[in-house]
Amino acid sequence: MWEFVLWGMLGGAANRGVNYLEAAARVKGGKPWRRPKGPGGGAYLAALVVHLFIAGVTAGAASTLVQGPTVWMIFGIGAVAPAAVKKAGQYALALAPSGDTGEDADELEVGEDDEK
């Protein structure tokens, strides 16, 4: 199973490499993690670690569910996993209630509730 986790992490690294190339093209020759056009090196490294973790866990779980998994299948699952989790998170946030009660909290004055 551990070899499949590593192959999944390699797929996640490939996904992250494509993300890097897209970001480098957007920044036009600069390093995408450098400020002011990027979040900084710490945030970029944290995102890399999280993507590799998601890819490894997903690939490890998939390798136990599939009978006779191949290395390329697990590599592909690891490459797709971070993007799929990101998309699922976006859907979950869109469906979650916003918690907005319709009143702007900044407009409420102290003691306003006492008058009601």
Side-chain angles (χ1 to χ4, degrees):
M1 179 177 122
W2 288 106
E3 69 181 83
F4 293 125
V5 170
L6 294 175
W7 275 104
M9 291 175 76
L10 188 61
N15 179 318
R16 198 67 188 154
V18 170
N19 290 344
Y20 168 78
L21 292 174
E22 291 172 351
R26 186 180 60 244
V27 175
K28 294 186 176 63
K31 295 180 178 162
W33 58 84
R34 285 214 173 142
R35 298 180 196 268
K37 295 181 181 180
Y44 203 78
L45 183 62
L48 173 67
V49 170
V50 169
H51 275 97
L52 293 179
F53 178 76
I54 290 170
V57 168
T58 306
S63 71
T64 62
L65 296 174
V66 178
Q67 184 67 27
T70 65
V71 171
W72 292 112
M73 179 174 48
I74 296 300
F75 179 85
I77 289 171
V80 170
V85 169
K86 178 182 175 184
K87 191 56 89 171
Q90 289 173 343
Y91 286 137
L93 286 176
L95 293 174
S98 65
D100 188 16
T101 59
E103 296 180 20
D104 194 2
D106 294 334
E107 295 177 1
L108 293 176
E109 294 180 10
V110 177
E112 186 177 276
D113 292 335
D114 296 336
E115 297 174 355
K116 292 182 181 176

